Amino acid sequence: MNTAEAIDTSAIHRRLAGHFADGWETRYVRGKLRIDPLYIAAEQVFRDNRLPLLDIGCGMGLLGMYLDEHGQRRDYLGVDNDPRKIASATAIVARHYPNMRFMQADAGSLPEFAGNVALLDALHYMPYPLQATVLEAAAARVAPGGILMIRNCLRDRSWRYHATMLEEKILHWTGWMRASGHRFPSREEIVGPLQGHGLSVELSPLWGRTPYNSYLVVARRAR
């Protein structure tokens, strides 16, 4: 990365963090953008694809904002069941990102949609039967030529898995994440339903500088 790119990235991070008035939200966004490799990966995955994006479990909409700031403006719909985060995101996009909109809904009641889909760090908050349902619903909403991007911890016996479990308990204790369930899926439980819906699936570690057992799943539908 050259100096100009570093300065541009730094400016984007400051701008995104500055959108959030709440001190905790600002610190959270700064930390995520500095440490978590998710957003760089998402920018690369969706770079050459301008289909609309459905973000399931969108939180405060940081994914859509990040992509927009990197020149990837597209229609974006964020869905989350936390009214606090939806309210925060809606206030920001009204001022800065007119192509983005949000709705409060459970992952089991997704709106009609066709395009790209993101499901980031959300599956493990759902009970097992709902995980399979949401995976199938997400896959069904991937349009021809579209992409389904999933990031989640996978259930295995690694030390990273146990570190992830600890972090999730802390997030629940602080109240940042209201869901109390932590049923992490296995590799097969994610890949199987997607392939069953005709998607080609690639799975790779996405650890970055974190200790967490995070994996990136990129599933594509042929044109």
Side-chain angles (χ1 to χ4, degrees), residues 13 30-38 40 151 159-160 206-212:
H13 289 185
R30 284 175 179 163
K32 288 286 284 184
L33 294 177
R34 184 175 64 252
I35 297 172
D36 195 337
L38 172 65
I40 293 174
R151 202 276 287 271
W159 68 266
R160 286 182 175 276
L206 191 65
W207 299 334
R209 292 184 289 163
T210 77
Y212 308 128

Side-chain angles (χ1 to χ4, degrees), residues 18 54 97 104 116 120 128 134 142 157 186:
L54 172 64
Y97 306 100
Q104 183 182 343
N116 295 323
L120 309 179
Y128 172 60
V134 170
V142 179
R157 297 183 178 181
S186 68

